[in-house]
Amino acid sequence: MTEAAIFAGFDAGQTHTRCRLALADGTVLAEGEGSGVSHLSSAGGPERFQAALRSSFAAALNSCASKGPLLAAAVGASGIEAESPSQILGTSLAKEALGLGAVLVTGDERTALAGAFAPGCPGIVLISGTGAIAVGRNHLGSQHRCAGWGWLVDGVGSAMDIGRDGLALTLRMADGRLTETSLKSVLWNALGVRYPHELKALVVDPHFGAAGFARLAPLVSNLAEQGDINAQRVLNIAGEELALMVEGVATALAMPQPEICCFGGAIENLTPLQTSFKKLLQERLPGTKIQKPLGDACHGALQLAAQLVV
């Protein structure tokens, strides 16, 4: 007897990629983890992207009892813009890596949105991890996104932004432009630097990047909880930026009291950021509800994969 066809949903992150396999009725068969990805335009980006898909798919398939054919797949990855060269390239690479024609490659915010709410239901997804972005869908099916245009120009509300802004304040302290607090000693000790010129050299190293700044966010958050006024200012600004993202999406889609689901290590784990975000959100969009998502990004990817063969 021929086994039923399977669908694959991928959540491709910088540190690792998850692949979930399921039947057409949504029954999950297996999940596997593989290597991470980088932006497709970066050095080695296409090769890393294909390696991530192949390794995570192989890991999932290895633990899957069903050996039915792969019918369709969807991939969510950061930096993939709709109808952009990155989406065209990513789709071509994914088709080659998986040996499959029915493939969708899109931004991870789109798979998160598809997974967070039931098909066709309106809502807004806010993601704040290393980067930050908000995307929503109204009752007509129209979608809109805010922020997430790359960490060099638009990382507001993210762990990267929190770490970088906290670090920027320490340089003002070192210069005497700002009264020194424990923020400087904590961050500089974490980075192993003693002088401003050492810090300057460290952050411009290509290997530091967004992730290097993001790793400092929990330290800034801890200091904010301990009462450091400068750290508190950084977290308050980040929370306000997240609220503005959600408001921007809600306004564009005419959703005065949207339901919101939050994803990402920063918004899920940094208490001062959560507090600031919720406070500003209620001020700008009274009555807005924050709820638990129906499913994760892999779940959303599977929903999008199924639509490819409808």
Side-chain angles (χ1 to χ4, degrees):
M1 180 181 295
T2 303
E3 293 199 56
I6 59 177
F7 294 83
F10 295 84
D11 181 28
Q14 294 184 37
T15 57
H16 65 273
T17 297
R18 290 186 300 136
C19 172
R20 186 174 300 161
L21 303 178
L23 297 175
D25 63 3
T27 301
V28 175
L29 301 173
E31 186 168 318
E33 187 172 300
S35 55
V37 301
S38 55
H39 198 283
L40 289 178
S41 63
S42 64
E47 292 79 10
R48 288 198 68 196
F49 184 75
Q50 288 193 315
L53 298 186
R54 289 180 176 130
S55 59
S56 57
F57 178 63
L61 199 61
N62 188 53
S63 59
C64 183
S66 174
K67 301 303 178 185
L70 180 61
L71 188 59
V75 181
S78 63
I80 303 293
E81 307 295 340
E83 300 179 1
S84 69
S86 64
Q87 186 177 48
I88 295 171
L89 174 58
T91 300
S92 176
L93 292 169
K95 287 181 176 180
E96 180 182 340
L98 300 173
L100 186 66
V103 176
L104 170 69
V105 175
T106 188
D108 55 358
E109 75 280 1
R110 307 288 175 174
T111 51
L113 179 64
F117 303 97
C121 290
I124 296 175
V125 159
L126 171 70
I127 302 174
S128 175
T130 299
I133 188 172
V135 62
R137 176 180 64 216
N138 64 17
H139 69 286
L140 298 175
S142 298
Q143 294 190 17
H144 184 75
R145 59 82 66 85
C146 279
W149 297 110
W151 72 276
L152 286 172
V153 291
D154 190 30
V156 293
S158 68
M160 181 284 302
D161 209 45
I162 293 168
R164 186 199 58 199
D165 286 359
L167 201 56
L169 290 178
T170 68
L171 286 171
R172 295 176 64 186
M173 294 175 189
D175 285 349
R177 289 177 285 167
L178 189 66
T179 301
E180 185 171 328
T181 68
S182 57
L183 182 66
K184 176 176 174 289
S185 60
V186 169
L187 297 190
W188 285 29
N189 286 339
L191 294 174
V193 299
R194 297 178 59 192
Y195 303 104
H197 70 269
E198 294 177 332
L199 179 57
K200 179 181 178 180
L202 178 65
V203 299
V204 298
D205 186 293
H207 297 292
F208 192 81
F213 289 114
R215 284 192 288 269
L216 300 175
L219 299 177
V220 180
S221 181
N222 290 340
L223 289 169
E225 290 189 88
Q226 294 168 21
D228 187 295
I229 189 171
N230 294 299
Q232 289 175 343
R233 186 178 299 117
V234 170
L235 270 297
N236 286 338
I237 292 173
E240 181 179 14
E241 291 290 354
L242 294 181
L244 287 172
M245 289 180 203
V246 173
E247 183 184 24
V249 174
T251 300
L253 296 176
M255 301 168 69
Q257 293 184 325
E259 295 183 343
I260 300 171
C261 293
C262 299
F263 294 90
I267 192 61
E268 291 177 6
N269 299 313
L270 305 183
T271 301
L273 181 64
Q274 295 173 356
T275 301
S276 173
F277 166 63
K278 291 177 181 179
K279 178 178 181 295
L280 270 296
L281 184 67
Q282 287 305 317
E283 290 179 4
R284 307 190 75 90
L285 292 173
T288 299
K289 299 177 182 178
I290 299 177
Q291 64 183 46
K292 291 184 178 180
L294 184 66
D296 61 9
C298 274
H299 175 71
L302 286 168
Q303 304 301 306
L304 296 177
Q307 294 175 17
L308 295 175
V309 295
V310 173

